[in-house]
């Protein structure tokens, strides 16, 4: 079993791409399990409904029910969290996860993926949550349109992985 877990949510595949590539990069030395958060009721992937439902849930602090079994973090010394940026914040499924998470004694790294390139507020919220829940923040990174900018994203991802390994 790996000593590191990557917990993430991905609607359109950007964060999924990053999480899987990061796992490959870390598995060379540390190994990393993957846990993709999935909601019981799926969010729309296209059109106005996507922005309406996702944005509404973020603004109102909705914590949707997850169909993913939450991992036992006591088995890991390192936790990596990944999220898309919705309305400048982490996605609602990540908020559901945060409710039960305990990062005491854990090295935690965070990353966010946005379509517009501004992840600062999202990362700040995640950083604060990790710290409040006892985690030791190791590294953070933001990505803009990783599926469209794969080469640039993979370069940033490798540097992020190196900071996590230290």
């Amino acid at each position: 079993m790996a000593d590191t877990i990557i917990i993430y949510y991905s609607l359109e595949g950007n964060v999924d791409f990053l999480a899987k590539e990061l796992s490959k990069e870390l598995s060379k030395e540390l190994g990393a399990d993957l846990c993709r958060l999935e909601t019981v009721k799926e969010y729309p992937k296209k059109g106005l409904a996507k922005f309406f439902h996702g944005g509404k849930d973020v603004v109102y602090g909705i914590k949707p029910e997850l169909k993913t079994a939450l991992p036992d973090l006591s088995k890991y010394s390192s936790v990596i969290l990944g999220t898309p940026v919705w309305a400048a914040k982490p996605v609602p499924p990540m908020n559901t996860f945060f409710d039960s998470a305990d990062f005491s004694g854990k090295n935690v790294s965070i990353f966010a993926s946005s379509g517009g390139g501004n992840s600062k507020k999202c990362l700040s919220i995640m950083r604060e949550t990790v710290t409040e829940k006892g985690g030791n923040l190791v590294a953070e990174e933001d990505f803009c349109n990783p599926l469209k900018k794969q080469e640039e994203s993979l370069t940033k991802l490798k540097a992020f992985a190196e900071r996590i390994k230290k």
Side-chain angles (χ1 to χ4, degrees):
M1 184 178 96
D3 193 36
T4 300
I5 187 166
I6 302 170
I7 301 167
Y8 68 100
Y9 176 81
S10 186
L11 181 67
E12 297 176 327
N14 286 287
V15 177
D16 191 54
F17 165 74
L18 293 169
K20 288 176 178 175
E21 290 298 322
L22 183 58
S23 177
K24 288 181 201 172
E25 194 64 34
L26 294 174
S27 68
K28 296 173 186 173
E29 294 176 29
L30 300 174
D33 291 338
L34 289 168
C35 176
R36 181 177 179 161
L37 301 176
E38 295 183 63
T39 55
V40 170
K41 184 178 178 188
E42 290 186 26
Y43 284 98
K45 290 184 169 70
K46 296 186 188 243
L48 186 58
K50 170 184 151 185
F51 295 101
F52 175 77
H53 291 291
K56 172 187 65 69
D57 283 6
V58 167
V59 169
Y60 287 107
I62 302 297
K63 296 173 184 164
E65 184 181 353
L66 300 176
K67 67 179 175 182
T68 306
L70 295 179
D72 177 2
L73 296 183
S74 70
K75 300 175 182 178
Y76 302 95
S77 64
S78 179
V79 178
I80 302 166
L81 306 171
T83 184
V85 178
W86 291 0
K89 296 180 179 178
V91 293
M94 192 60 68
N95 293 334
T96 303
F97 167 73
F98 282 144
D99 262 3
S100 64
D102 179 5
F103 301 120
S104 299
K106 308 289 180 206
N107 290 322
V108 183
S109 298
I110 57 176
F111 69 93
S113 171
S114 69
N118 190 355
S119 303
K120 289 180 182 167
K121 182 176 179 183
C122 176
L123 289 170
S124 175
I125 291 167
M126 291 177 72
R127 189 181 319 118
E128 186 177 311
T129 302
V130 165
T131 304
E132 285 175 359
K133 294 195 159 264
N136 172 41
L137 190 67
V138 174
E140 64 181 70
E141 189 59 78
D142 69 312
F143 299 88
C144 182
N145 294 312
L147 288 174
K148 292 180 183 174
K149 301 177 183 178
Q150 287 190 22
E151 192 173 317
E152 176 186 322
S153 296
L154 289 172
T155 299
K156 284 180 83 171
L157 192 76
K158 287 180 182 184
F160 180 50
E162 288 303 314
R163 293 195 310 274
I164 292 169
K165 291 176 191 177
K166 289 184 179 180

